[in-house]
Amino acid sequence: HESLIERERIDRDLKLAEQVQKRFLPQSTPEIPRYDFFAHYEPAYEVGGDYYDFVPLAGRRCAIALGDVSGKGVSAALMMAKFSGDTRYCMLTENSPSAAADELNSLLFAAGIEEKFITLSLSVLDPERNTLSLASAGHLPILIRRADGKVEEVGEEIAGFPLGMMPGADYKEIEIQLAPGDVVAVYTD
């Protein structure tokens, strides 16, 4: 009986943790003329280490972050909670996705959390120039379906180490030209 009561308490706590974690994620997508955004999030368990965010920047630009903390469950969710604030801070204070990735890597090492790393796709959409600047910290490449139907994988050539694996890692970025009808997919497992 005591075991059953304890299990019910744990289930309630996990349900509450799931609700709290979802509040760390954006509650709406950006509204930028000529661009549409869609997002879907479903953790493997009640809580998990996947993370995404949209950060409004000066000049109507928008940062787009998608990360995956190693592992599953509560420990990954706690890392994601800390990382979400750090990512917002870095995107607002650094001048590019690669500089933000450099700083995030430093912050993760300074936190001293061993045996955890984070893959991250970090980009900035500039709707005035129709460009997407992309940095990758060991994350899956983005997919771009061009208006003519051709699909490109972008980012593998500049992917650095996942955050938290190599102190002082130097992250690169590329700039991608977008055209009307192009679809960009940023995803994780």
Side-chain angles (χ1 to χ4, degrees):
H1 178 70
E2 287 177 12
S3 178
L4 186 60
I5 290 173
E6 179 64 15
R7 180 65 198 162
E8 286 176 1
R9 185 192 63 75
I10 291 170
D11 287 345
R12 277 193 312 274
D13 286 349
L14 284 172
K15 202 59 155 163
L16 179 59
E18 178 183 16
Q19 292 170 3
V20 169
Q21 183 179 32
K22 285 184 178 176
R23 298 304 293 174
F24 279 106
L25 300 173
Q27 302 305 300
S28 63
T29 57
E31 293 185 18
I32 298 174
R34 302 184 337 268
Y35 288 88
D36 293 313
F37 292 82
F38 303 92
H40 176 75
Y41 175 80
E42 191 167 327
Y45 301 113
E46 287 88 349
V47 292
D50 294 329
Y51 157 77
Y52 72 91
D53 202 357
F54 304 105
V55 183
L57 302 173
R60 293 185 0 162
R61 296 175 310 136
C62 180
I64 303 159
L66 187 133
D68 187 359
V69 176
S70 63
K72 304 279 184 224
V74 175
S75 64
L78 289 171
M79 280 282 295
M80 185 280 284
K82 178 188 179 350
F83 186 70
S84 65
D86 290 347
T87 301
R88 269 189 167 264
Y89 170 78
C90 288
M91 286 309 301
L92 290 167
T93 59
E94 298 298 329
N95 61 356
S96 69
S98 58
D102 290 343
E103 182 62 20
L104 284 164
N105 190 52
S106 296
L107 289 172
L108 192 56
F109 267 98
I113 301 168
E114 296 180 15
E115 299 181 23
K116 285 286 181 197
F117 61 87
I118 301 170
T119 66
L120 177 68
S121 175
L122 193 54
S123 55
V124 173
L125 172 67
D126 185 337
E128 299 298 320
R129 297 177 48 234
N130 294 313
T131 59
L132 187 72
S133 298
L134 171 70
S136 175
H139 201 75
L140 300 164
I142 64 171
L143 298 175
I144 302 176
R145 183 183 178 279
R146 298 293 183 175
D148 65 5
K150 180 181 172 198
V151 176
E152 301 171 17
E153 283 190 352
V154 180
E156 188 171 19
E157 66 278 12
I158 53 110
F161 287 102
L163 302 173
M165 287 190 81
M166 178 75 67
D170 184 32
Y171 295 95
K172 310 275 186 256
E173 72 182 69
I174 56 173
E175 186 174 271
I176 304 148
Q177 191 67 45
L178 300 175
D182 289 349
V183 175
V184 177
V186 186
Y187 57 96
T188 190
D189 62 354

